[in-house]
Amino acid sequence: LVLAPEQSLKLVSFVLQKLPWGDRFLPRVSWWLECFGKLGHLGFSRWIRAVFWSLVNTGLLGVSGYLTLKACGTDPSLLGAIFLQSFTAVVSVLAVVLPSGIGAVDAAFIAAFPAAVSGNLGDAILCAMILRMVQVGTLFCGLPAMPMLLVQLPEKGDLRS
């Protein structure tokens, strides 16, 4: 996507035009791919490092999910917890593109819960709520860094131009 944005856009446009509802998503997906193309100048080694740290992050999310599931009284496997966190991460990316994505991640977590963990619906809802509270808590922990980040952000027009 990043290293060949024009080709990706052609492929995605072709696929979306074949779908009856694809024309509604094409502007959003086009903008998204265009933004990815702007990042292509970073070079391949930076992308490899980013993928490495993304995998580390996924592993840490899996461990935190495992500990949360364990604290809720379920009997999860570490691989099941990593699957659950990875699956919901993918759904969260897709939910940004899809309209009305609010609640999609929580619904995906609850739906995938039985496949990853031995527990019931109440356990799934409790764990989803706790993990959501952890995410919100993490957001509040990062708020002090916002002024520093806002100084370094490009203007909105710079990203699209």
Side-chain angles (χ1 to χ4, degrees):
L1 291 174
V2 175
L3 300 177
E6 293 86 16
Q7 291 81 1
S8 299
L9 181 58
K10 287 179 186 176
L11 176 66
V12 170
S13 297
F14 176 77
V15 171
L16 285 177
Q17 288 173 354
K18 298 294 182 189
L19 299 172
W21 42 263
D23 57 336
R24 292 188 303 171
F25 295 109
L26 190 56
R28 290 181 185 185
V29 173
S30 298
W31 178 80
W32 191 61
L33 288 172
E34 183 182 321
C35 292
F36 266 124
K38 304 269 186 202
L39 300 174
H41 71 282
L42 295 177
F44 188 70
S45 65
R46 282 191 174 180
W47 283 105
I48 294 297
R49 285 186 292 198
V51 168
F52 170 76
W53 286 112
S54 179
L55 291 173
V56 169
N57 180 50
T58 300
L60 291 173
L61 284 173
V63 169
S64 73
Y66 173 82
L67 294 174
T68 302
L69 294 169
K70 198 77 166 160
C72 289
T74 64
D75 188 26
S77 68
L78 183 57
L79 287 177
I82 291 174
F83 161 76
L84 200 53
Q85 292 288 14
S86 300
F87 177 72
T88 55
V90 169
V91 170
S92 71
V93 169
L94 295 175
V96 171
V97 178
L98 299 173
S100 302
I102 297 172
V105 175
D106 301 312
F109 181 91
I110 292 167
F113 189 83
V117 180
S118 60
N120 58 32
L121 181 61
D123 292 336
I125 293 171
L126 175 66
C127 290
M129 288 173 50
I130 290 173
L131 287 171
R132 183 62 71 190
M133 286 188 286
V134 168
Q135 288 174 344
V136 170
T138 304
L139 169 75
F140 285 121
C141 290
L143 283 179
M146 283 303 292
M148 182 174 54
L149 292 173
L150 291 175
V151 171
Q152 298 175 0
L153 286 176
E155 293 293 321
K156 187 175 182 180
D158 292 346
L159 188 59
R160 292 184 183 220
S161 61

